[in-house]
DNA sequence: TGTACATCAGTGAACGCGCGTTCACTGATGTAC
DNA sequence: TGTACATCAGTGAACGCGCGTTCACTGATGTAC
């Protein structure tokens, strides 16, 4: 039965009918796919096994438990997001407003492309929050935003606290991403162009520290 | 056994040992409490029955299924939030910046006080989003924010589109609430004063439409 | 005021389900000789 | 090059669990007479 449901990809990955060859990665891949299809709550380890064409006991040769797979996916997510942010700002111009805007756009794009992983990273999965490996990766991810704001402040003589500005940008962009993927905008502003809103708001948030009060 | 776990409140609610008297409300109350203790995912209808001191079949005399209870709680949540927003702006001054700030503070306070319900209202519970009764209540809730922004714009001669400004305010404040209740700030800015951040950002978002570009 | 009866909010036992995890096992692989 | 063997990534059957929901039932309530 499992032979019949085996996809070409699986066959390539397998070295033989018995040993999978790369089950660890295959399971993470299957989990990511199911996560994005069914959402965090609809995801089960058993499904991931079925998808990978392997018995439900097999994962325990590679992972402590179900949470360890989610942990790995979450850490990968923070690394992916971080890479996307850096790539975006590097291309659009570090220390410039377009660079900051590009980071905001990249954040939202990531949330759209990897909705389930995004929810895992920032949503309420209490077990994951406590794992040092996960939260330190997340911290590093945010650190890159601060660096960029600092660079912007230096170059443009903005006097506000870069950390505070970074938190404001993050807050806005995270709100946009959340309301978008949770489909809350749809009720109220169906055709909203979130990326344009970010383009419009970012420069204001960046320079406001100057003219505030 | 269920007699032993009955709380004084339950006894007051009961008219006799057999008929509960007010089971519908009692179940909604129990569900809300369990929701806030254990979160949306940890909540089960069976637990709510246990809490109400009633068999697991009893709810089906009052609700179609589990989702109908969650639906009721969500609608209540939108009404509560709407009432809080109106009360806040009325007290602080309709059409003024302090009034708008007060609405933002009230939004975040609601998320803190009613975290689980907040997640139900805005998070990913696909079944609820499709129910017209739920989404129209949510729409009404946002409508009040727009009204306030319109009033502000009228009084202060702001030329931007009130709807767009309201969306920006909502986005920021929702991001703040989300990052706060999901404990994402803690990793990165443990002592952050979110309400102060809203106080600081709101006036800027409100007048920015003027000086944009 | 007292009795017969319809109503319907409760009971409690049972159901099928899918889950995460464990267990003793099997068989492919790669290494030592 | 060929064989013996240790390793360990897989199997598949089973487990206990709690869930949402259904079922025939029971007994308290309120109404009609």
């Amino acid at each position: 039965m499992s032979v019949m449901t085996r996809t070409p990809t699986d066959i390539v990955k397998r070295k033989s009918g018995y040993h999978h060859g790369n089950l660890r990665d295959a399971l993470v891949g299957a989990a990511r796919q199911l996560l994005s299809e069914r959402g965090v709550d609809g995801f089960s380890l058993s499904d991931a096994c079925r998808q990978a064409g392997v018995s439900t006991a097999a994962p325990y040769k590679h992972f402590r438990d179900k949470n360890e797979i989610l942990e790995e996916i979450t850490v990968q997510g923070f690394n992916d997001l971080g890479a996307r942010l850096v790539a975006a700002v590097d291309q659009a111009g570090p220390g410039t407003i377009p660079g900051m805007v590009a980071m905001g756009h990249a954040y939202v794009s990531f949330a759209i492309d990897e909705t389930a992983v995004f929810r895992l990273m920032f949503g309420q999965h209490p077990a994951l929050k406590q794992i040092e490996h996960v939260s330190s990766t997340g911290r590093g991810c945010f650190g890159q935003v601060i660096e960029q704001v600092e660079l912007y402040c230096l170059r443009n003589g903005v006097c506000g606290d870069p950390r505070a500005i970074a938190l404001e940008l993050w807050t806005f962009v995270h709100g946009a991403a959340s309301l978008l993927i949770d489909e809350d905008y749809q009720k109220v502003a169906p055709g909203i162009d979130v990326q344009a809103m970010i383009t419009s708001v970012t420069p204001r948030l960046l320079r406001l520290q100057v003219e505030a009060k």
Side-chain angles (χ1 to χ4, degrees), chain A residues 9 19 21 30 54 68 70 73 78 95 128 141 147 151 160 169 187 195:
Chain A
T9 321
H19 286 102
V54 116
E68 199 172 78
L70 296 180
I73 290 175
F78 277 120
L128 291 176
C141 198
E147 268 177 41
L151 187 58
L169 287 169
K187 282 191 262 195
Q195 300 290 35

Side-chain angles (χ1 to χ4, degrees), chain A residues 22-31 43 45 48-49 54 56-73 76:
Chain A
N22 198 12
L23 183 55
R24 186 182 176 95
D25 288 353
L27 277 173
V28 171
F43 165 75
L45 189 49
C49 292
V54 116
T56 59
Y60 295 88
K61 284 293 187 312
H62 299 274
F63 300 95
R64 195 197 331 110
D65 55 16
K66 184 190 178 187
N67 261 342
E68 199 172 78
I69 293 196
L70 296 180
E71 181 186 330
E72 178 135 336
I73 290 175
Q76 271 186 20

Side-chain angles (χ1 to χ4, degrees), chain A residues 162-190:
Chain A
R163 188 172 200 86
I165 297 179
L167 283 170
E168 292 173 8
L169 287 169
W170 182 31
T171 299
F172 186 79
V173 149
H174 184 83
S178 300
L179 291 172
L180 194 63
I181 65 176
D182 288 342
E183 294 173 8
D184 293 315
Y185 281 132
Q186 282 186 13
K187 282 191 262 195
V188 134

